Amino acid sequence: MGCTAADVVAALRAAAEVVKEHRDELVRLDQAIGDGDHGENLRRGFTALLSRLDTEEPSSPGKVLKLVATTLISTVGGAAGPLYGTAFLRASAAVGDLEELDSDAVASALRAALDGVVARGKAVVGDKTMVDALTPAVAAAASVDGEVAAVLSAAADAAAEGAESTVPMVARKGRASYLGERSAGHLDPGARSTSLLLRAFADAAAKA
Amino acid sequence: MTAAASRVGLVIVSHSDMLANGVAELAGQMAPDVSVLPVGGTEEGGLGTDYGSVVEALADADSGTGVVVLYDLGSAKMTAEMAVESADDPSRYAVVDAPLVEGAVAAAVAAQGGASLADVAAAAEGASGETPASAPSRPALHVVPDAVSAEVLLTNEVGLHARPAALLARAVAELDAEVVVRYGDEEANAASVLALMGLSAPGGKSITVVATGKDAREAIRRIEELAERGFDD
């Protein structure tokens, strides 16, 4: 059984709830090594997304993902806007007009999202960014043979581990890179939010 | 806006509205006929970048010859790049990696002089915070046999400061001539406002202008005339 447009919308509503719950945590993480706006920026973006989902009913999973992209790009205001925006835009293109997403489609959407983030932000693994969470997530998703929920769950677990791996890293991209060595010892807020979003998607898929 | 009709426009993307406006003000002073549009801050007036405003500014700044986009920090760059990619013809826009203030000034002056999109972008990218005058601009012209030169007294008080340097660069920009200005041991390409400013030539002193090319004499004449007028200070 695959994910319909309605399932994807449900997953995004769940993700918006998680973003709201973790807003303060993400702000704190970003205050430690960045400009402190990540939690609020994401909350603003996902709040805007919720109101668009209330009024618009995209007819396919790809169209839902595209709506997410354009909303985040135009409302987030920080680096997460273009980065998550590009991720969702590429994911949308990857799934095309499919009516339902099976595990393969989800895995390739994640791969496309990662490629988009890398193309946009020019970060590689080890730079202490969301790429450190998304890269292992993509690999895990590709290695799992099962339902969409299982694929997303493996991706979320790998992303959580990848996010934790950013703690000792010295940032080489984004605002945190200005801190140099002082950025070590802190969890990267972008990696953290990536892992939170994937966990929210996985939990929603498990319920669907 | 007919004056800007044939000139490359500039868009300054910053996290801060004040910063974007300040840079645009400074660059605009050097280039009265160039559209220099600031875009800073989020829609609610906070720090950040607003994608929709950047998209609008790109369209507004483009009078037909393209737009050079300068940015302050990482996410402003990403927002600018996304806005360019979304345009009907992304090739009309160049997001340049340049020091924001020096790059904007250099780009504005190049655009005022009628430079192409690629040349305006190159002017911005070539602007660095280091003393431009000490960087070799091009082969020394004194070895060129057909060079024309003149000693020009800087009659204004501030000498070859920002505005006079911009006027000088602009005066010769459209001519078919290679112009070099020397002061002391330093030499600057007259096409580069920053290099001219880097000479730190004060009022009351003389600079040496050396020009080659078809319009060499006209270049010298224009610079002498500017200096005689005290650069309109």
Side-chain angles (χ1 to χ4, degrees):
Chain A
M1 193 196 85
C3 289
T4 63
D7 293 333
V8 178
V9 168
L12 286 161
R13 287 187 180 280
E17 193 56 41
V18 166
V19 164
K20 202 168 112 191
E21 280 164 21
H22 291 266
R23 183 247 178 222
D24 291 353
E25 177 202 341
L26 292 171
V27 164
R28 273 197 309 278
L29 290 174
D30 199 25
Q31 277 169 343
I33 55 169
D35 48 10
D37 62 4
H38 189 55
E40 176 54 23
N41 283 346
L42 274 192
R43 189 205 59 78
R44 185 191 309 119
F46 276 90
T47 303
L49 176 63
L50 284 180
S51 48
R52 286 191 72 176
L53 290 174
D54 284 342
T55 55
E56 295 173 46
E57 284 181 30
S59 55
S60 69
K63 285 180 182 157
V64 179
L65 294 173
K66 188 164 184 191
L67 177 72
V68 181
T70 55
T71 307
L72 295 185
I73 289 165
S74 54
T75 58
V76 167
L83 289 171
Y84 279 126
T86 304
F88 281 101
L89 204 56
R90 295 285 186 95
S92 162
V95 303
D97 295 330
L98 290 175
E99 292 285 321
E100 289 195 9
L101 308 184
D102 60 11
S103 1
D104 285 348
V106 169
S108 54
L110 285 173
R111 155 63 61 187
L114 170 63
D115 290 348
V117 168
V118 169
R120 179 68 58 208
K122 314 280 190 298
V124 296
V125 169
D127 284 350
K128 200 181 181 91
T129 71
M130 56 203 287
V131 170
D132 290 304
L134 201 47
T135 303
V138 167
S143 68
V144 171
D145 194 14
E147 296 284 324
V148 169
V151 167
L152 283 172
S153 189
D157 288 345
E161 215 172 297
E164 283 303 321
S165 79
T166 65
V167 172
M169 290 177 187
V170 173
R172 288 195 294 251
K173 284 282 168 189
R175 207 68 73 86
S177 64
Y178 292 90
L179 273 69
E181 297 289 334
R182 281 187 292 138
S183 63
H186 298 277
L187 178 61
D188 177 66
R192 174 64 177 151
S193 64
T194 297
S195 120
L196 285 171
L197 290 176
L198 284 171
R199 177 43 63 195
F201 296 156
D203 290 350
K207 278 185 211 155
Chain B
M1 293 300 289
T2 49
S6 61
R7 289 184 171 89
V8 170
L10 298 186
V11 169
I12 311 296
V13 184
S14 168
H15 283 65
S16 152
D17 187 43
M18 284 172 72
L19 182 54
N21 276 286
V23 172
E25 182 187 15
L26 191 58
Q29 185 191 28
M30 308 285 219
D33 301 319
V34 176
S35 283
V36 186
L37 301 186
V39 197
T42 62
E43 217 175 349
E44 296 99 349
L47 294 175
T49 46
D50 180 41
Y51 172 79
S53 306
V54 177
V55 169
E56 275 175 34
L58 289 181
D60 291 347
D62 188 4
S63 56
T65 39
V67 176
V68 165
V69 187
L70 291 108
Y71 57 87
D72 59 357
L73 291 167
S75 61
K77 177 190 187 186
M78 290 192 278
T79 303
E81 286 173 347
M82 291 207 89
V84 166
E85 287 163 26
S86 77
D88 291 337
D89 181 4
S91 72
R92 301 169 67 82
Y93 304 97
V95 180
V96 298
D97 181 14
L100 183 60
V101 177
E102 292 98 328
V105 170
V109 172
Q112 178 73 31
S116 68
L117 179 63
D119 287 345
V120 174
E125 283 164 344
S128 80
E130 294 166 21
T131 49
S134 60
S137 47
R138 57 187 64 207
L141 289 182
H142 55 263
V143 298
V144 179
D146 63 343
V148 185
S149 74
E151 294 285 313
V152 178
L153 178 67
L154 301 174
T155 57
N156 62 332
E157 199 180 327
V158 298
L160 219 45
H161 221 280
R163 211 186 53 85
L167 287 174
L168 192 158
R170 208 187 300 160
V172 299
E174 71 204 35
L175 298 178
D176 181 5
E178 303 280 322
V179 184
V180 160
V181 174
R182 289 201 209 118
Y183 177 70
D185 298 332
E186 306 279 5
E187 181 174 287
N189 184 342
S192 166
V193 178
L194 294 170
L196 290 172
M197 288 164 65
L199 291 173
S200 308
K205 299 285 186 179
S206 290
I207 53 173
T208 306
V209 182
V210 185
T212 55
K214 193 161 68 66
D215 296 333
R217 283 179 196 287
E218 173 63 11
I220 301 264
R221 191 195 67 73
R222 288 188 183 190
I223 293 171
E224 283 175 337
E225 186 188 288
L226 258 181
E228 274 163 29
R229 298 206 312 262
F231 293 92
D232 300 329
D233 269 355

